[in-house]
Amino acid sequence: MGKYKVGDKVRIVKKRAGSMIPSMDKYLGSVMCICRVLPSGGYKMLEDNQTWNWDDASIENYANIIKKSDLRNGDILTYRKGFEGSKKILQDNKMWYLSDFTNLSMHLSDYDEDLFCLVDCDFDIVKVYRPETEETFYTERTKKVKEMTIAELEKELGYPIKIVKEEK
């Protein structure tokens, strides 16, 4: 039997794994709902109309992935950089030292929805502990690729560009 059950929300891994084949690539990174657990331990998903057999290596638990909008007062946050005092408590949208409740000057507005710090990547939040439920959540660790047209890129940069082939 697999480690997931019917009704669980899972995320398909971002790189092909387990028994995945190239035709399944369009689901990489997608959140799906398990609608059937196979006797072999595999899974059928609602979103692909039960077309593919998914195995444990090809999915991850979505319930333990947390976003900025999921954070609550009292959550204990762990930064990417493991320096002294890397754990903070969230209160009123600010991160506070656990020991003396002094403010680190980091605010939730300094983060994107995937909890990447917009100011300094050492302060990316990688783990969230919720004391009242004793649950531990993790954050997304891969940046999404931003697709842009040349016109959009020129607007962003503020000047025209010319794409050239790289020399090897």
Side-chain angles (χ1 to χ4, degrees):
M1 233 22 189
K3 59 182 179 178
Y4 300 102
K5 62 186 184 320
V6 171
D8 282 351
K9 273 192 169 184
V10 295
R11 182 183 303 276
I12 305 304
V13 295
K14 296 190 190 297
K15 289 186 178 180
R16 199 177 310 139
S19 60
M20 292 179 73
I21 59 173
S23 301
M24 300 164 88
D25 285 356
K26 74 178 191 174
Y27 297 104
L28 291 173
S30 299
V31 174
M32 299 173 94
C33 183
I34 295 174
C35 61
R36 214 164 97 214
V37 178
L38 303 172
S40 63
Y43 309 95
K44 293 286 188 176
M45 304 292 177
L46 188 63
E47 290 75 8
D48 72 353
N49 297 315
Q50 302 185 48
T51 303
W52 302 106
N53 291 336
W54 300 92
D55 58 19
D56 285 331
S58 63
I59 60 179
E60 59 189 14
N61 189 345
Y62 181 66
N64 283 335
I65 296 175
I66 197 164
K67 301 284 190 183
K68 177 178 163 178
S69 56
D70 299 322
L71 294 177
R72 302 193 303 226
N73 280 339
D75 285 348
I76 309 298
L77 313 173
T78 302
Y79 294 134
R80 172 190 304 278
K81 192 81 168 187
F83 52 85
E84 184 64 31
S86 67
K87 289 186 180 177
K88 306 290 180 262
I89 188 165
L90 179 66
Q91 190 67 39
D92 300 324
N93 292 324
K94 289 186 179 176
M95 286 62 152
W96 302 84
Y97 284 104
L98 283 172
S99 55
D100 59 5
F101 286 90
T102 55
N103 185 9
L104 177 64
S105 300
M106 297 303 285
H107 191 276
L108 276 186
S109 62
D110 296 325
Y111 292 85
D112 68 11
E113 184 62 13
D114 290 324
L115 297 172
F116 284 98
C117 183
L118 305 171
V119 179
D120 182 343
C121 66
D122 287 347
F123 294 101
D124 289 350
I125 297 169
V126 295
K127 187 166 73 171
V128 176
Y129 174 72
R130 190 156 284 157
E132 77 266 14
T133 60
E134 297 187 356
E135 290 178 279
T136 299
F137 302 94
Y138 299 91
T139 60
E140 293 285 356
R141 292 298 93 208
T142 55
K143 283 272 191 188
K144 295 175 183 76
V145 172
K146 183 175 182 177
E147 292 184 9
M148 299 176 83
T149 65
I150 292 175
E152 291 169 328
L153 187 56
E154 288 177 339
K155 184 178 178 185
E156 183 87 15
L157 293 170
Y159 51 84
I161 62 169
K162 179 181 174 185
I163 306 294
V164 296
K165 188 174 180 177
E166 286 186 53
E167 298 285 331
K168 289 191 179 191

